[in-house]
Amino acid sequence: MTPFLVSDKWYDLRDLGNLSSAILEAADRVLPFGVVYVLAALIGFVASFLLFVLPSQLIVGVYGERRIIGRMQSRLGPNRVGPFGLLQPIADAIKLIQKEALTPTQADRAVMYIAPIVFVMPAVLLWAVIPFGERMVIADIPVGLMYFLAVSALPVIATFMAGWSSNNKYSLFGAMRIVAMAISYESPLVLALLGAVVMAGTISLSGMVGWADQFDIWMVFVQPLAFVIYFICVSAELNRTPVDIAEAESEIVAGYLTEYSGMKWGLFYGMDIGYALAASGFAVTVFLGGWTFFGLEQWVPGWLIFIAKTHLFYFLFIWTRGTLPRLRADQLMAFAWKFLLPLGVFNLLVVTTERMLWSEQDYAKGLIYIFALVNIVLSVVLVYAWARFNGYRPERTPTRPRLVKQAGGYIPVGEWP
């Protein structure tokens, strides 16, 4: 093969599958039958952890997020521990390890101890079906999207366990809010992903990457409304600002984490970043072409493209966290049921109609670009029209501060015109 393409050499880092294949083939010749399958899973986990999760957790998830949000809010962020504050995550980890993990006397100790463990496990399992590159997926199952949705629902159980077992009313309130958000936002989330599934004709994550590569277009252009709905819904399910009502300090202290301290709290905090990265990787796979980039993957390793896209999507989480105010609980619930859910249903109706028309034209490649243009325009019109129907009136928004008298507030007796 040419030197610019992915070669068959094990040492070519543009395809890490070559290296792992060489190791597994050598191990299969000396190890008992069946052991190589366990070794393959371990290699995949270690490689993904060292190349993706660990750098993301230390640099992007902690240091990068805090520094970027600091700049957005006109402050410095970490800048004392190590050069440019780069060692701040290590200092935080040492601090959490040294802290005493307190447990309330009336708490359910067993459940309270198990909850952080149950919260961590799905964060690892999610990466099993996400393809990092060509032939770089631990479990390339045909129902990868369904697997991801099923496993991503497990943390809700862990957070409810944490809130209920703490024997604290604020913790229980936070846990119930998590459950309410999961139920409310799972419906429009599934509808949004169903639109992408109908258009791609597969629920395999590798198949969705192949679809984007085959038609030279990302799903985000064909399903822009589904992409927006996915981002909002996954932000709510991840309990990310501005929809982190389960940890609203002004209302319920720290929600389900109120009674947690030390490294038990650190597991919840660290895996929050892990779940956000997994959701970013999933969005990149479904909506942004995965590890492909219109042929660039022939010269640049696909797994590097995937990592770059994932961190760019993660920046959206950072951006919203640093700039938007927190919503109230009633606003968040109403937004899911009254706004996102109807939009998701209408989007599914549109995409099924387009899929039917597309199949009648033998899936002509040019027609998908027409659908993309129509859907972009239709999404903007639909969002604005539905917002107006629900009472959105931008013309009533004041352009400058108003006095109390002008706003119709308190007016002393005798001064009413």
Side-chain angles (χ1 to χ4, degrees):
M1 303 182 70
T2 63
F4 297 103
L5 300 178
V6 176
S7 71
D8 295 325
K9 303 299 183 182
W10 63 267
Y11 50 79
D12 192 340
L13 295 181
R14 284 171 292 184
D15 185 359
L16 295 181
N18 296 323
L19 177 60
S20 62
S21 297
I23 296 175
L24 293 175
E25 289 174 2
D28 194 30
R29 289 192 290 267
V30 297
L31 295 177
F33 176 78
V35 177
V36 69
Y37 296 105
V38 179
L39 183 61
L42 292 176
I43 290 176
F45 172 77
V46 172
S48 61
F49 185 81
L50 293 178
L51 293 173
F52 188 73
V53 178
L54 185 61
S56 299
Q57 286 276 20
L58 292 180
I59 305 302
V60 177
V62 179
Y63 172 78
E65 183 164 346
R66 289 161 68 176
R67 290 283 288 190
I68 292 173
I69 292 178
R71 294 298 299 236
M72 288 180 177
Q73 298 175 347
S74 299
R75 53 188 177 83
L76 294 177
N79 55 31
R80 290 289 186 272
V81 185
F84 308 105
L86 285 172
L87 299 181
Q88 186 65 49
I90 299 176
D92 291 341
I94 295 173
K95 177 187 69 174
L96 289 174
I97 293 172
Q98 291 178 332
K99 275 190 173 183
E100 182 180 2
L102 301 175
T103 304
T105 55
Q106 299 300 316
D108 190 323
R109 300 179 68 89
V111 178
M112 193 173 179
Y113 272 83
I114 294 173
I117 301 173
V118 177
F119 191 79
V120 168
M121 290 189 295
V124 179
L125 295 175
L126 287 174
W127 295 102
V129 295
I130 297 180
F132 288 78
E134 188 176 6
R135 302 187 301 276
M136 291 180 62
V137 56
I138 297 175
D140 191 11
I141 58 178
V143 290
L145 188 141
M146 298 297 296
Y147 170 92
F148 191 94
L149 290 177
V151 175
S152 63
L154 296 178
V156 178
I157 301 175
T159 53
F160 184 79
M161 290 170 58
W164 177 82
S165 63
S166 297
N167 194 30
N168 181 302
K169 63 179 181 180
Y170 297 117
S171 299
L172 185 58
F173 287 159
M176 292 303 297
R177 286 185 174 186
I178 284 284
V179 174
M181 283 196 299
I183 295 173
S184 300
Y185 280 87
E186 192 72 20
S187 298
L189 173 64
V190 171
L191 286 174
L193 293 175
L194 190 56
V197 167
V198 169
M199 184 57 70
T202 179
I203 56 176
S204 167
L205 296 183
S206 297
M208 288 191 164
V209 176
W211 181 90
D213 187 44
Q214 177 185 355
F215 292 98
D216 293 321
I217 189 171
W218 293 349
M219 187 64 72
V220 64
F221 300 114
V222 185
Q223 285 286 282
L225 186 57
F227 177 78
V228 174
I229 293 175
Y230 171 83
F231 175 73
I232 297 173
C233 291
V234 81
S235 297
E237 293 198 1
L238 290 171
N239 199 37
R240 298 277 305 188
T241 309
V243 288
D244 57 336
I245 60 170
E247 302 176 35
E249 308 91 22
S250 57
E251 305 172 44
I252 53 175
V253 193
Y256 65 95
L257 293 175
T258 299
E259 299 295 347
Y260 279 90
S261 60
M263 203 57 205
K264 289 192 292 185
W265 178 90
L267 288 175
F268 280 105
Y269 176 76
M271 287 304 103
D272 277 339
I273 299 173
Y275 281 116
L277 286 168
S280 301
F282 181 76
V284 166
T285 302
V286 175
F287 292 103
L288 301 178
W291 51 269
T292 64
F293 198 92
F294 307 114
L296 184 63
E297 65 275 5
Q298 297 294 329
W299 293 272
V300 179
W303 53 274
L304 278 181
I305 295 175
F306 176 81
I307 291 175
K309 287 183 181 179
T310 301
H311 288 111
L312 286 175
F313 187 91
Y314 186 79
F315 176 74
L316 295 179
F317 289 129
I318 299 175
W319 195 357
T320 53
R321 179 182 177 183
T323 56
L324 297 179
R326 178 183 290 129
L327 277 71
R328 299 195 312 263
D330 60 310
Q331 291 174 331
L332 195 61
M333 297 297 105
F335 187 68
W337 293 110
K338 296 181 180 180
F339 194 79
L340 292 182
L341 185 61
L343 288 179
V345 172
F346 189 84
N347 179 72
L348 185 59
L349 175 63
V350 171
V351 72
T352 50
T353 304
E354 291 175 344
R355 176 74 184 190
M356 181 185 65
L357 296 174
W358 195 26
S359 64
E360 292 178 353
Q361 300 298 321
D362 294 327
Y363 304 105
K365 190 173 183 179
L367 194 58
I368 196 68
Y369 299 105
I370 298 177
F371 288 156
L373 181 61
V374 170
N375 289 344
I376 292 173
V377 176
L378 183 62
S379 298
V380 174
V381 173
L382 185 61
V383 168
Y384 181 77
W386 190 243
R388 297 282 296 189
F389 179 81
N390 282 277
Y392 175 62
R393 297 293 182 270
E395 63 274 8
R396 296 180 183 176
T397 303
T399 56
R400 60 180 182 178
R402 295 183 296 176
L403 300 176
V404 175
K405 186 184 297 185
Q406 295 171 330
Y410 171 74
I411 299 176
V413 178
E415 293 190 13
W416 186 264

